[in-house]
Amino acid sequence: MAGIGSSTYWEDLRKQARQLENELDLKLVSFSKLCTSYSSSRDGRRGDTSDTTPLLNNSTQDRMFDTMSVEIEQLLAKLTAVNDKMAEYTNSPGAAALNAALMHTLQRHRDILQDYTHEFHKTKGNFLAIREREDLLGSVRKDIETYKSGSGVNNRRTELFLKEHEHLRNSDRLMDDTISIAMATKENITFQRGMLKSIQSKVNTLANRFPAINNLIQRINLRKRRDSLILGAVIGVCTILLLLYAFH
């Protein structure tokens, strides 16, 4: 491969990786919002007695889901290929002197790829689960309407069936709210994780460039561990004393 031993080739690969990671981050946020909007719009569709609007809404969101899934899978495949090229570069003879720093950078990009892949499959699974429940409840509603038209609303069995259906709707609405809260929490955690990774990357870069800073960070970490052990011991002793006092 032409130029595989040059630092320019490595920097080009890093730029490609960062660009793909940024695109994936934006796509995954939009993908998560699509799943949330699909969940939150279900109650509105249930109250609509029209047969056309729900079908159009479902069809549009299903097409968006399929399109975004394909786009994200393509970006993940491209990022995987770039990571493979970076791994190939680290094994080249010309990169032996900088192998430790290169491997650190490569591992960071691999971790990001793994996180994005996990997040994509998790969000996709949630979306499919919501859609499956919607299809199931739609079938139940259709059976109820058929039964009502044939037997009448005043039938005792129909009333029990309607009460059970209402209970299912209430339970499903509670699940929707829980999923929406979880999605919002996940987006917030994803944002914080990106900030923490950026900070960690900068700290590691400074530590690699300035050994004194690295030693200082290590001493700070040792002191934090020591303080945690002391605090834990004090809490343990206090707990024992309180228990002895309580039982005597």
Side-chain angles (χ1 to χ4, degrees):
M1 183 180 295
I4 194 170
S6 65
S7 60
T8 303
Y9 178 76
W10 174 257
E11 290 300 324
D12 289 341
L13 290 176
R14 287 194 62 190
K15 289 180 181 178
Q16 294 177 31
R18 286 195 295 267
Q19 181 178 357
L20 290 171
E21 288 165 0
N22 290 335
E23 292 179 13
L24 273 168
D25 188 68
L26 294 175
K27 287 287 185 182
L28 288 172
V29 171
S30 299
F31 196 60
S32 177
K33 290 181 178 179
L34 174 64
C35 182
T36 304
S37 65
Y38 186 89
S39 174
S40 62
S41 62
R42 290 167 60 190
D43 287 341
R45 293 202 302 267
R46 289 172 189 161
D48 192 350
T49 57
S50 172
D51 293 332
T52 305
T53 303
L55 292 175
L56 289 177
N57 288 340
N58 283 335
S59 177
T60 300
Q61 290 186 315
D62 289 344
R63 286 198 301 269
M64 291 177 61
F65 170 78
D66 294 336
T67 300
M68 294 185 69
S69 296
V70 171
E71 292 174 353
I72 292 174
E73 288 173 350
Q74 291 175 348
L75 289 173
L76 289 173
K78 290 179 181 179
L79 184 56
T80 300
V82 172
N83 283 351
D84 291 341
K85 291 180 181 179
M86 294 173 72
E88 181 181 352
Y89 178 86
T90 58
N91 295 325
S92 63
L98 301 174
N99 193 52
L102 298 182
M103 288 300 297
H104 172 75
T105 301
L106 174 60
Q107 185 60 43
R108 183 161 56 86
H109 286 292
R110 282 175 171 173
D111 291 341
I112 294 174
L113 172 61
Q114 184 178 4
D115 291 342
Y116 284 159
T117 302
H118 175 74
E119 183 178 347
F120 168 65
H121 289 302
K122 184 177 180 181
T123 305
K124 183 177 180 180
N126 290 338
F127 185 97
L128 293 175
I130 293 172
R131 187 169 64 181
E132 183 178 357
R133 288 198 304 271
E134 173 67 9
D135 293 339
L136 178 60
L137 290 175
S139 176
V140 171
R141 290 194 300 271
K142 184 181 296 184
D143 292 340
I144 291 174
E145 293 298 327
T146 302
Y147 189 83
K148 285 170 58 178
S149 62
S151 303
V153 183
N154 295 326
N155 188 282
R156 177 62 178 170
R157 186 176 297 176
T158 301
E159 293 179 359
L160 294 176
F161 198 14
L162 289 173
K163 289 181 180 179
E164 183 65 22
H165 176 60
E166 184 66 24
H167 176 69
L168 288 174
R169 287 187 60 186
N170 293 334
S171 300
D172 190 58
R173 187 178 297 108
L174 180 61
M175 292 179 63
D176 290 343
D177 295 338
T178 304
I179 291 174
S180 298
I181 294 173
M183 289 295 180
T185 303
K186 180 180 68 63
E187 291 182 6
N188 188 24
I189 292 175
T190 301
F191 176 74
Q192 294 180 6
R193 181 190 63 193
M195 292 183 61
L196 290 176
K197 284 187 176 182
S198 176
I199 294 172
Q200 182 182 6
S201 175
K202 293 178 181 179
V203 171
N204 290 335
T205 301
L206 289 175
N208 292 330
R209 291 183 179 178
F210 304 101
I213 295 178
N214 191 19
N215 294 332
L216 178 60
I217 293 174
Q218 291 179 356
R219 288 198 296 270
I220 291 173
N221 290 333
L222 289 175
R223 180 168 296 179
K224 287 174 63 178
R225 293 194 187 99
R226 184 193 64 188
D227 293 343
S228 297
L229 291 174
I230 294 174
L231 181 59
V234 172
I235 293 174
V237 171
C238 291
T239 302
I240 293 173
L241 292 176
L242 287 174
L243 290 175
L244 290 175
Y245 177 79
F247 287 103
H248 289 80

